Amino acid sequence: MLKSGDRVPDFELPTADMNMLRLSDFAGKKNLVVYFYPKDDTPGCTMEAIEFSELAGDFAALDTLVLGVSADSCISHGDFRDKYGLTVELVADVDGEACEAYGVMQVKNKDGVEHRGIQRSTFVIDKDGVIRHALYGVTPKAHAEDVLSLVRAL
């Protein structure tokens, strides 16, 4: 698992619009909030994405880009974004490489069956590419506001 003070693992992944996004392209330019979530269009993930989208202007005013990452496809991300009018950039990690690098893939138990899935987690990254906050196992309700407070303190 990553922790505060670690250099951010770089990734290059497609967005909902199928444009490639490389994290290192923002080095020296923007703070980043990278949040990992389990699945498009599920109750908790929808709540989290809507709350981040509602605060997008506040994050932008702090020179911060918010990226949502899950293992869903670009098409799924596009449908999710369009259905709820989301303004955060959604990134598709279909192969799970970024999820593994950030330590968010966890063994989950549902109805007595174990499977690997994404643990809801958020990383606040400064313009130098250093993780300032690594938050694992977060709950979606009011999480975006909590993260905004952390960004304000950068």
Side-chain angles (χ1 to χ4, degrees):
M1 294 174 87
L2 300 172
K3 60 188 180 318
S4 297
D6 287 347
R7 299 252 354 128
V8 65
D10 195 15
F11 59 71
E12 183 175 14
L13 296 169
T15 67
D17 294 320
M18 297 183 200
N19 298 317
M20 294 307 288
L21 183 142
R22 178 179 293 128
L23 214 57
S24 58
D25 288 346
F26 300 100
K29 299 174 188 167
K30 292 204 176 283
N31 300 309
L32 297 168
V33 169
V34 180
Y35 77 94
F36 290 83
Y37 64 98
K39 185 115 179 87
D40 287 342
D41 207 6
T42 57
C45 298
T46 300
M47 176 190 308
E48 186 176 32
I50 289 171
E51 288 183 6
F52 272 117
S53 291
E54 288 173 346
L55 295 173
D58 296 299
F59 282 105
L62 296 168
D63 217 15
T64 302
L65 176 66
V66 177
L67 304 172
V69 182
S70 80
D72 295 301
S73 70
C74 296
I75 293 170
S76 176
H77 281 341
D79 291 345
F80 181 43
R81 176 196 60 204
D82 296 347
K83 180 176 180 178
Y84 294 100
L86 303 175
T87 58
V88 296
E89 189 75 72
L90 300 177
V91 181
D93 185 23
V94 176
D95 295 331
E97 292 175 26
C99 291
E100 289 293 342
Y102 282 74
V104 302
M105 291 300 288
Q106 303 291 319
V107 175
K108 296 181 175 187
N109 191 323
K110 183 173 180 177
D111 300 325
V113 177
E114 288 188 351
H115 69 283
R116 287 179 51 79
I118 296 174
Q119 178 187 41
R120 191 181 311 278
S121 305
T122 302
F123 302 86
V124 178
I125 303 157
D126 68 20
K127 290 179 183 179
D128 295 324
V130 176
I131 296 172
R132 299 291 294 274
H133 301 280
L135 311 167
Y136 290 92
V138 301
T139 55
K141 187 165 179 58
H143 177 62
E145 186 66 48
D146 293 341
V147 172
L148 182 60
S149 295
L150 296 173
V151 172
R152 283 187 178 123
L154 288 179

